[in-house]
Amino acid sequence: QVQLVESGGGLVQPGGSLRLSCAASGSFHSLFAMGWYRQAPGKQRELVARLSSVDSKTYADSVKGRFTISRGAAKNTWYLQMTELKPEDTAVYYCYADVASVTHQPSDHWGQGTQVTVSS
């Protein structure tokens, strides 16, 4: 069983910053990739940022230059540093991971979601 626990959401004014954290725990071999999606009211869930096992990073065009995904010092943790936040960044943010099981079977897993609200 793999669990992802995320934290760090909240209310911030436009132009402000937040950092989201995610930690994976449980029984598995490794993570193929990790990242963040978000879903705003009435919209589809969209990829925000992705970090591969070889440290290749992918960002949505809307967040390039403002958001940074990185690994944590602790194993199987990662962060999303969000700066210059805009009202349109308001959404529920979900961390995710592509996981290789102990028998090397792939599967994807999701955090519980954390609300980010950008408003004055």
Side-chain angles (χ1 to χ4, degrees), residues 9-73:
L11 173 65
V12 64
Q13 292 186 341
S17 300
L18 280 175
R19 189 177 78 161
L20 305 182
S21 304
C22 190
S25 62
S27 180
F28 55 91
H29 179 267
S30 61
L31 304 182
F32 290 120
M34 58 201 75
W36 300 87
Y37 276 73
R38 68 185 180 187
Q39 188 166 20
K43 295 188 177 181
Q44 288 189 328
R45 191 174 295 191
E46 62 173 355
L47 175 69
V48 177
R50 182 181 184 273
L51 176 63
S52 77
S53 59
V54 295
D55 286 341
S56 174
K57 298 179 182 181
T58 303
Y59 295 98
D61 287 343
S62 59
V63 307
K64 283 180 181 176
R66 301 188 297 121
F67 291 11
T68 303
I69 187 170
S70 63
R71 297 179 187 276

Side-chain angles (χ1 to χ4, degrees), residues 2-4 22-25 28 30-37 49-51 76 78 94-100 106-111:
V2 179
Q3 294 181 327
L4 303 187
C22 190
S25 62
F28 55 91
S30 61
L31 304 182
F32 290 120
M34 58 201 75
W36 300 87
Y37 276 73
R50 182 181 184 273
L51 176 63
N76 299 324
W78 57 101
Y94 298 90
C95 67
Y96 84 96
D98 294 326
V99 177
S107 62
D108 59 289
H109 298 266
W110 296 83

Side-chain angles (χ1 to χ4, degrees), residues 38-46 87-94 115-117:
R38 68 185 180 187
Q39 188 166 20
K43 295 188 177 181
Q44 288 189 328
R45 191 174 295 191
E46 62 173 355
E88 51 264 43
D89 295 317
T90 295
V92 177
Y93 284 69
Y94 298 90
Q115 177 70 46
V116 172
T117 302

